[in-house]
Amino acid sequence: MQLFRDVIDECGFIDLGFIGSQFIWQKHFVDGHSIWERLDRGFANNDLFMQFARAKIHHLSFNASDHCPLWIIPDGMEIPSITKPFKVEEMWLSDRGCSNVVEAVWTSHGEAEPSIKVIKKIKTKKCGKELQEWNCKHFRNVRRELEKKIVEGG
C-alpha cells in the first residue's frame, strides 16, 4: 500500500474527495466485527484538477454488492451533443430548389478573399444548414410518410 501512496505522491495526484457515505466497502464477519473502508477514489493531476475543479464524485447506495458505485459528475466539462451527420438526400437533386439553395449560399458575399470565403462557409456548415431548412419546408417528413404508408399497406 505504501508503494501505491508513493506513486500517487510522485505523480502529483490530488484526491477529488466525495459526496455521500464515508465508507464504500464493507466486510462483516461471523464473530460480529466488521471492516468499513473507503477503497475507491477519484484522482486527478493538477492540470486536470484546475480544468475540472468543480467535478464531483458521489458515493451511491447499493445493496447488491459490498462496494458502493461511484458516480462522477465532470462539472465544467463540455459534453458534446450527439447530432446526426449531414447527408444529401438523392431526392433533393431532382428538385431545382436544391441547386438554388447551394448556389445562393456559395455566391453570397462575405470576405473579399475567395479562399477565406470558402473556408468560412465550410466551417460554419452554412450550405448544409440551409439545405436542411429547405428540406424541412419543401419535403417535410418524407421518410416518416413513406414508413406510415408501408405500415398502412398503401
Side-chain angles (χ1 to χ4, degrees):
M1 196 62 203
Q2 187 57 48
L3 290 174
F4 180 68
R5 288 187 187 106
D6 292 344
V7 168
I8 291 170
D9 290 341
E10 183 70 28
C11 293
F13 289 149
I14 302 164
D15 188 330
L16 297 176
F18 63 92
I19 297 169
S21 174
Q22 181 177 355
F23 305 110
I24 60 171
W25 178 83
Q26 57 191 335
K27 173 109 175 138
H28 302 289
F29 295 93
V30 179
D31 65 1
H33 82 276
S34 298
I35 300 174
W36 296 72
E37 295 285 340
R38 177 179 170 227
L39 298 178
D40 304 317
R41 298 167 187 257
F43 291 100
N45 64 17
N46 192 52
D47 292 339
L48 192 69
F49 181 76
M50 294 307 289
Q51 191 173 1
F52 305 109
R54 296 185 325 238
K56 301 283 187 259
I57 298 177
H58 295 264
H59 294 173
L60 303 179
S61 298
F62 192 63
N63 294 332
S65 172
D66 61 353
H67 280 268
C68 292
L70 301 181
W71 180 32
I72 302 170
I73 302 174
D75 195 11
M77 179 185 288
E78 286 186 36
I79 299 171
S81 62
I82 299 170
T83 57
K84 290 195 276 184
F86 172 74
K87 293 180 183 176
V88 173
E89 297 288 342
E90 189 175 349
M91 67 182 176
W92 296 354
L93 303 176
S94 64
D95 190 293
R96 179 71 189 139
C98 177
S99 47
N100 290 344
V101 169
V102 173
E103 258 180 69
V105 169
W106 285 97
T107 58
S108 64
H109 300 291
E111 299 290 331
E113 174 83 29
S115 60
I116 293 174
K117 191 182 340 182
V118 169
I119 290 169
K120 199 173 207 177
K121 287 178 184 172
I122 291 170
K123 279 189 176 180
T124 62
K125 301 177 184 174
K126 185 161 177 57
C127 194
K129 289 175 186 173
E130 294 291 328
L131 280 171
Q132 285 174 325
E133 285 180 29
W134 169 80
N135 177 48
C136 288
K137 292 176 189 168
H138 192 75
F139 286 104
R140 291 189 182 80
N141 294 311
V142 173
R143 281 182 205 250
R144 193 177 303 147
E145 291 298 319
L146 284 172
E147 287 171 5
K148 193 166 34 171
K149 294 286 184 196
I150 290 169
V151 170
E152 292 172 357

